[in-house]
C-alpha cells in the first residue's frame, strides 16, 4: 500500500516461515506423538488379548469385543443418520427467500459464515452424536447378549401371564431401544428446528407466519414420532409395573403390583397409550392440513390426561379405597410378592419349625453327653488366629497369611474334621531388600499350606495338622508353590534366565524356575514393548533378566481371574483354598443375578452382604456386576490353580435359566457339572454371601401368610456382632452340628435373628453347607416362642461381661499391656435349649499373637468361664461327659521327657501353673502374677534345653526360627476338644 504518512517509515519486519529443519523437526515430533498415542492404545488392547489367550478364554474377549463394536457402529450410525438426515432435510426445505427483517439480516451473517463449511459441519455434528450414541450403546453388551440368547424360565408372572424371561431378558432391551429412540427423536427435533430457524423456516420476531409449511410438516412428523414413542413407553410401563420397586409396609424395595397399580395405574397406562396414539396421528396429519391446531390440542389433552388419569386418579383410589381397608385390598398382591420373592432367592423350601428355647431334660450327664453329639464346637476362630499362624508358621518374613483364614473339612482315618486353613503367601514387604529384580524376579511365590484342627488347641495355640516348610502333615504330597493367591497383587516375570527363590531351610535358600505354562511369553519384542507401556515399566523392554522362556504373570488373585474370564458373574467375597488331587486349588463361588424377576422384592448386594468382617477387610466384599438384584443363584463353582493359575468354571445349578443364557452367549466357557470330581466336590461349601442375602430376606419373608406380613409383627433382624464395637451385622459361622430332625452332624452355616428393635433371640437359622450331601442347601429355621424371652447374642455377651467372677478374671487377663479378643460366639441347639460358646483370646506381654486362654459357655442360665471347653461344659452342666476321659482339674501330672533337664523344667512349670490356679481361686493377684512369671521362666528353660538337645543330635525343628510354647507340652495337659 502507498505511504500515507508524512514522516519517515520505520524498518519493515518480515515474518518469515519456519526453516525447513524446524518444520521437519515439528512434523517428526507430531508423527512420533501420534504413533506414541496409537501404540499406547494398542498396548492395552494387545496385552488384554494376550492375557485372555494365555488363560484359554479368548472367546470371552472376542465375543465381548465384537458385541461392543457391533453395537457401537450400528447405533452410532443410526443416530448419525437420523440427526444428519433431519439437518439435511431441514436445509433442503428452507424457503427460497428470507423475509427482510432485522432478525433475518442478523442470521444472514451466520448463514454466509458457514456456507463454505456446510458439508464439513454436517459431517462433524453427525460424527459427534454418532460417537456418543455408539459409546452409550456399546455399554449395553450384556443387555443385548441376554436378549438374543435368552432361554425361558418356564414360570409365568401372575398378572400378565408372561414367562419370566420376558422381564429378565426382553424388557431391558426394549427399554434401551425406547430410550435410544427418544434420544434420536429429541436430537433430530432440536437439530431440525435450529436449521429451520437459521435458514428462515422458523421465525421468532419477523412479521408474518411463524413457520413455513415445509417446516411445519417436518417438525410435526418429528413430534409425532416422539409422541408415538411415548405411546410405546406407556404400553411397556404396563409390564414394568410387575418389576417396579416401592417402599411398602414391612419391606423396602417392594416389587410388583399392588391394588392401586392393578386397579388404577394399569388401566390409566392403557388409556394414556390410546390417547398418545391418537395424538401422534394428529401430528402426522399436519402433512396435509398444515396447521398446528389439532396436534397442539391433542398434545395438551395427553398432558392433562397424564396428570389426571396417571397421577390424580391413582392417588384418589389409594386414599379412599385402599387405606380404609388396606389389609383386605393388598393381601392378594402381597401373597404374589411372597411367593415370587421366596422363589427368586431360593428360600421357598425353607423349613420353619417351632423351638421352645428351654431344655426339659433333668439328667445333667445326659445333657453333657449330648453336647458332643450336637456339634463339633470349633473354638479356633479363623478371623482371629491369623497372627498366630503368622508368628508360628511364617518361617520367613517374605511370607504372610491372609487376615481372615478359612474353614474347610478334611478327613483322617475316615473321620471328618473341621479345619482352619491358610496359605503361606508371598509378602513383598518382608523381603530383605526391595528392588525391581527382587520384587518381580527373585521373590515370586508363596509356599505351602498351614492347617490346624478347628476343635482343639494346646496351651492356647493351634494344633497344626499341616505345618513347617516345606509343609508336611495330614494332607500328603501336593504342589506347594503358590503363584496365585489373595495377597499376590503384583506381577512377576518367571521361567527365564533369572532364578527364583523357592524356599529356605537350615541348609540355605533353594532356587527354582517356573515350569508352568501360565502367563504371557515375553520372547517377542512386541510383547515386551506392549507390557513396558501397559505397566509403565521401561525395564521390561531392555532388562537382561528377561530372556528365552520368560513369562509374565499378572491378574493373580483368584477373584480377579474369575471375574475377568466371566464378566457376567457376581463373585462371592470369600475365595478359599483346598488341597485337591495333589494341587492347591482356590475355590470361588459365583452367582448369576437379574433385577427383572416380576413381583420379587429387590435387595442391594453391597449392603446385604456387609458384616463386621467386610467392614475391616474390604477384600471380603462381594464383586457385583449388578448391585441391586431380585434373583440370585449360586450357579457356578470356579477353581483357580495356585501354581498354574488355570481357571475352570463348573456349572453347579443345572436348572438356572440365567446361566443357560450366558452359556449360549459364551459357549464352551462353563464345564458341565459331570466333570466335577468327588475329591473336588468334597470341598465345596455353601457360599457365605448367598447365605447373607437369604438371611436378610428371611428376616421378613419367613412368613407365608399375607396378613401376618402386612402387620409386621413377625419382622426379624440380623443382630450386630456382639464381640466387637463395629456396629455391623454378625457374620455367619461354619460349624459341624446337628439340627433337630437330623440324624447326624452336618457341616453347616449358621446365624441368629432377633426381633426388630429388640435383643432377645427370635430364631436360629442353619443351612446344610456340605456339597457332597443330598441335603446341601436345605435351610432350616428354629423359631423361638414370642411368649417367653430367650437371650440373644448381645444379651449373652453382656452377661458374660457383667458377671462378677468373669469380669474379675477378664480384668486380670487384661493386666499390664495384655488385651482381650473375643472369638466367634457360636450358637448350638441342644435338647430344646441353646448353647452359646465363645473362645477368649489374650494378646499381651511379649507375645505378638493371640492365644486362646479361656472359653465362655452358657446354657439354661448357667455360665462358665474356664481354661478349656471341657471344663466350661462340665461346670455349666454340673456333670462330666460319660463318653470322654475325666476332664482336666488343673492337677494333671506334668508331661514327661527323656531329657532330665527338660523334665525338671516341666515339673517346675506344672507347679507354677498349679500355684497360679490356686491363687486365682483365692483372688490373690500378687501370688498369681508371681506364678505366671515362674511358669514362663520354667517353659523358657524347657525350650532352651530341648533346643540344645535337638542341635546336639543334628535334629531340631527346621520350620521354626524361634521355638514358641507350642514346642513343649502344655503344663496343664489340657485341650479344647469339643
Amino acid at each position: 500500500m502507498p505511504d500515507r504518512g508524512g514522516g519517515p517509515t520505520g524498518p519493515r519486519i518480515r515474518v518469515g516461515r519456519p526453516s525447513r529443519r524446524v518444520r521437519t523437526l515439528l512434523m517428526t515430533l507430531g508423527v512420533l506423538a501420534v504413533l506414541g498415542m496409537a501404540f499406547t492404545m494398542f498396548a492395552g488392547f494387545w496385552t488384554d488379548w494376550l492375557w485372555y489367550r494365555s488363560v484359554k478364554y479368548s472367546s470371552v474377549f472376542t465375543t465381548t469385543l465384537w458385541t461392543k463394536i457391533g453395537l457401537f457402529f450400528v447405533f452410532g450410525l443410526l443416530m448419525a443418520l437420523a440427526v444428519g438426515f433431519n439437518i439435511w432435510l431441514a436445509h433442503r426445505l428452507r424457503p427460497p427467500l428470507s423475509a427482510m427483517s432485522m432478525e433475518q439480516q442478523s442470521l444472514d451473517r451466520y448463514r454466509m459464515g458457514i456456507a463454505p463449511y456446510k458439508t464439513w459441519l454436517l459431517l462433524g455434528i453427525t460424527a459427534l452424536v454418532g460417537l456418543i450414541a455408539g459409546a452409550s450403546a456399546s455399554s449395553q453388551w450384556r443387555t443385548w447378549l441376554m436378549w438374543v440368547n435368552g432361554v425361558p424360565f418356564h414360570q409365568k408372572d401372575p398378572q400378565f401371564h408372561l414367562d419370566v424371561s420376558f422381564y429378565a431378558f426382553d424388557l431391558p432391551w426394549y427399554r434401551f431401544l425406547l430410550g435410544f429412540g427418544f434420544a434420536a427423536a429429541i436430537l433430530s427435533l432440536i437439530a431440525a428446528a435450529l436449521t429451520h430457524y437459521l435458514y428462515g423456516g422458523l421465525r421468532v420476531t419477523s412479521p408474518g407466519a411463524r413457520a413455513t409449511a415445509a417446516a411445519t410438516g417436518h417438525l410435526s412428523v418429528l413430534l409425532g414420532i416422539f409422541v408415538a414413542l411415548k405411546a410405546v413407553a406407556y404400553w411397556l410401563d404396563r409390564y414394568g409395573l410387575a418389576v417396579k420397586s416401592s417402599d411398602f409396609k414391612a419391606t423396602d424395595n417392594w416389587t410388583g403390583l399392588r391394588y392401586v397399580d392393578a386397579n388404577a395405574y394399569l388401566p390409566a397406562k392403557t388409556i394414556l397409550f390410546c390417547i398418545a396414539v391418537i395424538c401422534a396421528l394428529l401430528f402426522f396429519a399436519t402433512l396435509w392440513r398444515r396447521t398446528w391446531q389439532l396436534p397442539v390440542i391433542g398434545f395438551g389433552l395427553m398432558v392433562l390426561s397424564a396428570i389426571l388419569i396417571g397421577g390424580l386418579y391413582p392417588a384418589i383410589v389409594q386414599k379412599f379405597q385402599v387405606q380404609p381397608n388396606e389389609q383386605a385390598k393388598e393381601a392378594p398382591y402381597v401373597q404374589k410378592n411372597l411367593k415370587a420373592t421366596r422363589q427368586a432367592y431360593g428360600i421357598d423350601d425353607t423349613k420353619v419349625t417351632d423351638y421352645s428355647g428351654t431344655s426339659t431334660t433333668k439328667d445333667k450327664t445326659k445333657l453333657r453327653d449330648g453336647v458332643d453329639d450336637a456339634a463339633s464346637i470349633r473354638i479356633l476362630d479363623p478371623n482371629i488366629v491369623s497372627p498366630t499362624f503368622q508368628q508360628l508358621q511364617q518361617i520367613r518374613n517374605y511370607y504372610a497369611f491372609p487376615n481372615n483364614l478359612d474353614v474347610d473339612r478334611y478327613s483322617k482315618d475316615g473321620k471328618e474334621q473341621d479345619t482352619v486353613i491358610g496359605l503361606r503367601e508371598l509378602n513383598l514387604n518382608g523381603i530383605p531388600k526391595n528392588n525391581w529384580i527382587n520384587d518381580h524376579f527373585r521373590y515370586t511365590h508363596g509356599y505351602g499350606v498351614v492347617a490346624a484342627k478347628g476343635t482343639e488347641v494346646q496351651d492356647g495355640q493351634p494344633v497344626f495338622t499341616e505345618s513347617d516348610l516345606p509343609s508336611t502333615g495330614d494332607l500328603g504330597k501336593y504342589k506347594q508353590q503358590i503363584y496365585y493367591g489373595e495377597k499376590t497383587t503384583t506381577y512377576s516375570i518367571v521361567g527365564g534366565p533369572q532364578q527364583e527363590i523357592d524356599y529356605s531351610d537350615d541348609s540355605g535358600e533353594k532356587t527354582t524356575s517356573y515350569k508352568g505354562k501360565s502367563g504371557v511369553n515375553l520372547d517377542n519384542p512386541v510383547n515386551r514393548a506392549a507390557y513396558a507401556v501397559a505397566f509403565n515399566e521401561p525395564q521390561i523392554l531392555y532388562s537382561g533378566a528377561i530372556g528365552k522362556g520368560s513369562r509374565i504373570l499378572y491378574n493373580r488373585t483368584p477373584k480377579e481371574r474369575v471375574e475377568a474370564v466371566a464378566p457376567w458373574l457376581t463373585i462371592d467375597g470369600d475365595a478359599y483354598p483346598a488341597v485337591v488331587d495333589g494341587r492347591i486349588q482356590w475355590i470361588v463361588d459365583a452367582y448369576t443375578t437379574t433385577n427383572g424377576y416380576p413381583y420379587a422384592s429387590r435387595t442391594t448386594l453391597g449392603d446385604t452382604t456387609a458384616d463386621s468382617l467386610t467392614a475391616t477387610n474390604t477384600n471380603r466384599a462381594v464383586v457385583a456386576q449388578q448391585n441391586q438384584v431380585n434373583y440370585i443363584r449360586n450357579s457356578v463353582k470356579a477353581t483357580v490353580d495356585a501354581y498354574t493359575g488355570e481357571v475352570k468354571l463348573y456349572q453347579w445349578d443345572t436348572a438356572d435359566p440365567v446361566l443357560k443364557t450366558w452359556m449360549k452367549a459364551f459357549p464352551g466357557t462353563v464345564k458341565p457339572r459331570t466333570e466335577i470330581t468327588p475329591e473336588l466336590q468334597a470341598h465345596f461349601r455353601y457360599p457365605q454371601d448367598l447365605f447373607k442375602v437369604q438371611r436378610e430376606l428371611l428376616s421378613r419373608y419367613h412368613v407365608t401368610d399375607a396378613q401376618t406380613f402386612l402387620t409386621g409383627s413377625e419382622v426379624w433382624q440380623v443382630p450386630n456382632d456382639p464381640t466387637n464395637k463395629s456396629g455391623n451385622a454378625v457374620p455367619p459361622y461354619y460349624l459341624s452340628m446337628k439340627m433337630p430332625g437330623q440324624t447326624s452332624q452336618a457341616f453347616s452355616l449358621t446365624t441368629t435373628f432377633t426381633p426388630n428393635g429388640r435383643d432377645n433371640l427370635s430364631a436360629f437359622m442353619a443351612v446344610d453347607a456340605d456339597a457332597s450331601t443330598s441335603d446341601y442347601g436345605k435351610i432350616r429355621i428354629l423359631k423361638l416362642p414370642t411368649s417367653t424371652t430367650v437371650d440373644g447374642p448381645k444379651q449373652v455377651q453382656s452377661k458374660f461381661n457383667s458377671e462378677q467372677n468373669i469380669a474379675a478374671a477378664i480384668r486380670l487377663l487384661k493386666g499390664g499391656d495384655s488385651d482381650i479378643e473375643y472369638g466367634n460366639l457360636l450358637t448350638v441347639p441342644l435338647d430344646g435349649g441353646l448353647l452359646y460358646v465363645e473362645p477368649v483370646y489374650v494378646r499381651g506381654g511379649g507375645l505378638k499373637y493371640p492365644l486362646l486362654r479361656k472359653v465362655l459357655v452358657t446354657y439354661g442360665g448357667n455360665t462358665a468361664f474356664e481354661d478349656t471347653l471341657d471344663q466350661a461344659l462340665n461346670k455349666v452342666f454340673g456333670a462330666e461327659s460319660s463318653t470322654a476321659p475325666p476332664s482336666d482339674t488343673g492337677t494333671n501330672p506334668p508331661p514327661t521327657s527323656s531329657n532330665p533337664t527338660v523334665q525338671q523344667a516341666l515339673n517346675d512349670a506344672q507347679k507354677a501353673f498349679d500355684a497360679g490356679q490356686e491363687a486365682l481361686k483365692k483372688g490373690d493377684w500378687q501370688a498369681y502374677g508371681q506364678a505366671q512369671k515362674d511358669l514362663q521362666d520354667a517353659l523358657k528353660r524347657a525350650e532352651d534345653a530341648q533346643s540344645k538337645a535337638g542341635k546336639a543330635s543334628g535334629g531340631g525343628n527346621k520350620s521354626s526360627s524361634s521355638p514358641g510354647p507350642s514346642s513343649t507340652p502344655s503344663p496343664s495337659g489340657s485341650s479344647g476338644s469339643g
Side-chain angles (χ1 to χ4, degrees):
M1 295 181 66
D3 181 11
R4 299 180 184 278
T9 59
R12 293 189 177 183
I13 301 175
R14 184 173 180 176
V15 180
R17 296 174 63 190
S19 68
R20 185 174 181 179
R21 180 179 298 177
V22 172
R23 292 199 306 271
T24 303
L25 178 61
L26 291 175
M27 290 180 62
T28 303
L29 291 175
V31 170
L32 289 176
V34 172
L35 290 175
M37 288 187 291
F39 188 78
T40 300
M41 297 173 61
F42 166 78
F45 166 81
W46 184 243
T47 53
D48 284 347
W49 161 248
L50 290 174
W51 186 85
Y52 276 96
R53 192 176 65 174
S54 74
V55 294
K56 298 180 175 59
Y57 282 89
S58 55
S59 62
V60 174
F61 180 82
T62 54
T63 300
T64 304
L65 177 65
W66 286 116
T67 303
K68 290 180 178 180
I69 291 174
L71 291 172
F72 177 86
F73 278 106
V74 168
F75 286 96
L77 186 61
L78 286 174
M79 182 66 76
L81 288 174
V83 175
F85 172 76
N86 282 283
I87 293 175
W88 173 84
L89 184 61
H91 179 266
R92 185 177 179 85
L93 296 176
R94 68 190 184 280
L97 295 173
S98 301
M100 296 306 295
S101 64
M102 293 297 296
E103 180 185 21
Q104 293 304 314
Q105 288 177 16
S106 63
L107 289 174
D108 274 340
R109 290 178 295 172
Y110 295 103
R111 287 192 286 263
M112 293 175 63
I114 66 173
Y117 312 106
K118 285 192 292 186
T119 302
W120 289 108
L121 186 62
L122 176 62
L123 291 175
I125 292 174
T126 55
L128 179 62
V129 296
L131 287 172
I132 295 173
S136 176
S138 66
S139 66
Q140 298 295 320
W141 64 272
R142 289 183 178 89
T143 308
W144 161 260
L145 288 176
M146 293 185 78
W147 178 67
V148 78
N149 295 288
V151 300
F153 277 67
H154 300 296
Q155 293 177 338
K156 295 184 177 181
D157 78 283
Q159 182 66 40
F160 301 102
H161 307 292
L162 296 174
D163 192 90
V164 171
S165 61
F166 170 80
Y167 301 93
F169 306 140
D170 299 343
L171 190 58
W173 179 249
Y174 298 152
R175 282 177 164 168
F176 164 71
L177 292 179
L178 186 63
F180 179 83
F182 274 123
I186 292 171
L187 289 175
S188 297
L189 182 63
I190 293 172
L194 290 174
T195 305
H196 279 300
Y197 176 71
L198 182 62
Y199 287 96
L202 292 178
R203 307 179 185 101
V204 178
T205 60
S206 301
R210 297 298 183 194
T212 62
T216 299
H218 184 195
L219 296 179
S220 295
V221 170
L222 290 175
L223 286 170
I225 292 173
F226 177 84
V227 176
L229 290 171
K230 188 63 179 174
V232 176
Y234 281 133
W235 189 257
L236 288 180
D237 284 347
R238 298 169 68 254
Y239 302 110
L241 292 172
V243 290
K244 183 192 75 171
S245 287
S246 59
D247 293 340
F248 176 59
K249 287 297 178 183
T251 178
D252 298 331
N253 293 319
W254 162 279
T255 302
L257 286 84
R258 291 157 50 191
Y259 180 89
V260 69
D261 297 313
N263 295 278
Y265 280 112
L266 187 57
K269 297 292 183 183
T270 305
I271 295 170
L272 289 171
F273 164 77
C274 297
I275 294 173
V277 170
I278 295 171
C279 186
L281 294 175
L282 291 176
F283 274 107
F284 294 142
T286 55
L287 285 172
W288 296 276
R289 294 180 57 86
R290 304 294 184 182
T291 176
W292 290 88
Q293 186 176 3
L294 284 178
V296 169
I297 292 174
F299 188 77
L301 176 63
M302 187 179 75
V303 173
L304 182 63
S305 300
I307 295 172
L308 296 178
I309 302 176
L312 185 60
Y313 174 62
I316 292 174
V317 171
Q318 178 69 24
K319 178 71 175 177
F320 295 101
Q321 289 191 33
V322 178
Q323 288 185 4
N325 192 16
E326 187 172 40
Q327 289 205 3
K329 296 289 187 183
E330 299 287 15
Y333 304 95
V334 170
Q335 201 66 49
K336 295 175 184 177
N337 175 270
L338 287 171
K339 181 180 178 180
T341 301
R342 290 169 63 88
Q343 288 176 341
Y345 290 95
I347 56 177
D348 47 329
D349 291 331
T350 300
K351 184 179 180 182
V352 181
T353 56
D354 291 331
Y355 193 71
S356 64
T358 55
S359 172
T360 57
T361 300
K362 303 299 183 183
D363 188 339
K364 296 180 179 181
T365 302
K366 184 178 180 181
L367 277 176
R368 175 64 183 87
D369 290 342
V371 176
D372 296 332
D373 183 56
S376 297
I377 299 175
R378 179 178 46 75
I379 56 175
L380 199 66
D381 188 344
N383 304 308
I384 286 184
V385 298
S386 177
T388 306
F389 273 51
Q390 185 84 357
Q391 182 70 19
L392 301 179
Q393 287 296 321
Q394 178 189 23
I395 313 301
R396 294 290 183 266
N397 288 336
Y398 47 82
Y399 294 132
F401 293 90
N403 293 333
N404 303 101
L405 304 178
D406 291 289
V407 178
D408 201 353
R409 296 93 63 215
Y410 287 89
S411 297
K412 184 177 182 181
D413 300 329
K415 184 178 180 181
E416 199 168 76
Q417 166 73 45
D418 287 2
T419 302
V420 175
I421 185 171
L423 300 189
R424 194 183 285 113
E425 296 189 42
L426 179 66
N427 173 31
L428 287 178
N429 294 326
I431 66 177
K433 184 178 181 181
N434 287 101
N435 55 55
W436 191 63
I437 294 295
N438 277 349
D439 290 354
H440 301 290
F441 292 82
R442 293 282 289 166
Y443 296 91
T444 59
H445 59 276
Y447 207 95
V449 173
V450 176
K453 294 181 180 180
T455 56
E456 294 183 25
V457 295
Q458 184 174 12
D459 195 31
Q461 298 178 2
V463 177
F464 292 109
T465 58
E466 185 78 12
S467 60
D468 300 342
L469 185 68
S471 293
T472 57
D474 296 345
L475 302 185
K477 292 184 178 180
Y478 56 93
K479 195 73 172 177
Q480 299 209 13
Q481 290 92 341
I482 302 161
Y483 283 86
Y484 295 87
E486 290 181 307
K487 300 180 75 67
T488 316
T489 56
T490 188
Y491 70 89
S492 289
I493 299 176
V494 298
Q498 181 70 55
Q499 288 289 299
E500 312 161 43
I501 293 177
D502 200 22
Y503 66 92
S504 300
D505 60 15
D506 293 340
S507 62
E509 291 183 349
K510 308 294 183 182
T511 59
T512 187
S513 184
Y514 185 67
K515 299 299 189 295
K517 300 300 182 184
S518 182
V520 178
N521 199 314
L522 293 180
D523 287 353
N524 189 327
V526 175
N527 291 357
R528 292 178 67 169
Y531 279 103
V533 171
F535 288 179
N536 194 27
E537 182 48 73
Q539 293 188 77
I540 294 177
L541 185 60
Y542 56 78
S543 174
I546 301 175
K548 184 174 178 57
S550 292
R551 312 180 72 86
I552 184 168
L553 313 181
Y554 61 105
N555 288 351
R556 299 168 70 182
T557 65
K559 291 196 298 182
E560 187 177 31
R561 293 179 77 79
V562 174
E563 182 191 12
V565 304
W568 33 273
L569 289 174
T570 291
I571 312 301
D572 189 89
D574 184 24
Y576 60 98
V579 177
V580 182
D581 296 327
R583 304 193 74 87
I584 301 173
Q585 299 282 355
W586 288 97
I587 299 175
V588 183
D589 287 287
Y591 311 108
T592 48
T593 62
T594 179
N595 68 348
Y597 198 100
Y599 272 101
S601 291
R602 290 182 171 86
T603 188
T604 303
L605 291 180
D607 297 336
T608 307
T609 59
D611 58 26
S612 61
L613 296 183
T614 62
T616 57
N617 186 1
T618 55
N619 290 331
R620 295 290 290 265
V622 65
V623 182
Q625 303 296 338
Q626 191 176 40
N627 197 27
Q628 197 169 67
V629 303
N630 67 351
Y631 171 94
I632 186 170
R633 289 290 185 273
N634 177 211
S635 52
V636 171
K637 299 281 190 180
T639 62
V640 178
D641 192 289
Y643 183 77
T644 66
E646 182 183 17
V647 181
K648 292 182 179 179
L649 307 176
Y650 295 100
Q651 182 184 18
W652 183 246
D653 190 333
T654 56
D656 178 29
V658 181
L659 177 60
K660 291 179 180 178
T661 296
W662 287 118
M663 290 174 69
K664 280 183 64 179
F666 297 96
T669 57
V670 181
K671 298 179 182 296
R673 181 166 177 164
T674 53
E675 292 194 20
I676 301 174
T677 64
E679 292 78 13
L680 176 60
Q681 185 169 326
H683 292 280
F684 285 169
R685 66 188 193 188
Y686 202 79
Q688 294 186 60
D689 283 339
L690 176 61
F691 185 77
K692 286 187 278 189
V693 169
Q694 290 175 326
R695 74 173 179 179
E696 180 65 29
L697 268 297
L698 282 168
S699 66
R700 303 182 299 274
Y701 286 90
H702 61 278
V703 301
T704 57
D705 175 64
Q707 298 291 342
T708 306
F709 185 89
L710 282 166
T711 62
S713 60
E714 291 290 332
V715 176
W716 300 337
Q717 66 182 11
V718 179
N720 292 337
D721 191 344
T723 65
N724 58 60
K725 299 179 181 179
S726 66
N728 297 101
V730 63
Y733 297 124
Y734 287 106
L735 180 69
S736 289
M737 55 168 290
K738 184 172 73 174
M739 288 283 281
Q742 290 183 294
T743 57
S744 61
Q745 291 183 19
F747 188 65
S748 305
L749 192 55
T750 67
T751 192
T752 54
F753 293 105
T754 59
N756 194 23
R758 298 174 60 192
D759 295 323
N760 57 289
L761 197 68
S762 58
F764 175 81
M765 171 179 167
V767 63
D768 194 317
D770 188 345
S772 60
T773 64
S774 58
D775 281 344
Y776 172 79
K778 185 173 184 179
I779 300 174
R780 297 176 175 89
I781 293 180
L782 303 180
K783 182 182 175 184
L784 279 300
T786 56
S787 57
T788 59
T789 58
V790 178
D791 287 344
K794 184 177 180 180
Q795 292 173 321
V796 169
Q797 188 69 48
S798 178
K799 287 185 177 180
F800 280 160
N801 296 338
S802 61
E803 190 164 322
Q804 186 174 358
N805 292 338
I806 296 175
I810 289 177
R811 282 196 300 270
L812 176 62
L813 292 173
K814 285 183 177 180
D817 57 355
S818 299
D819 199 8
I820 294 291
E821 292 184 49
Y822 292 105
N824 37 217
L825 180 58
L826 301 176
T827 308
V828 177
L830 176 64
D831 191 54
L834 289 159
L835 175 71
Y836 286 97
V837 178
E838 182 179 69
V840 179
Y841 294 82
V842 178
R843 188 202 298 252
L847 295 177
K848 300 178 181 179
Y849 57 96
L851 296 176
L852 195 153
R853 287 306 190 194
K854 293 287 185 179
V855 179
L856 284 161
V857 174
T858 185
Y859 182 83
N862 297 322
T863 302
F865 183 62
E866 300 297 327
D867 295 337
T868 69
L869 176 61
D870 285 337
Q871 288 178 344
L873 290 171
N874 292 344
K875 183 173 181 180
V876 162
F877 292 104
E880 295 186 0
S881 173
S882 62
T883 60
S887 65
D888 174 31
T889 61
T891 59
N892 287 345
T896 60
S897 171
S898 59
N899 186 313
T901 306
V902 174
Q903 183 61 55
Q904 182 58 48
L906 290 176
N907 292 338
D908 293 342
Q910 183 65 49
K911 292 178 182 178
F913 179 83
D914 294 341
Q917 295 299 305
E918 188 66 28
L920 185 62
K921 292 177 181 179
K922 297 179 178 179
D924 188 343
W925 310 128
Q926 184 176 357
Y928 182 84
Q930 183 59 48
Q932 294 303 302
K933 290 181 181 178
D934 294 342
L935 174 61
Q936 292 299 322
D937 177 68
L939 289 174
K940 185 67 169 57
R941 285 189 283 112
E943 291 166 8
D944 292 343
Q946 191 172 11
S947 178
K948 290 178 182 178
K951 291 179 180 178
S953 62
N957 185 355
K958 64 182 176 179
S959 72
S960 180
S961 58
S962 57
S966 61
S967 61
T968 59
S970 165
S972 63
S974 65
S975 76
S977 173

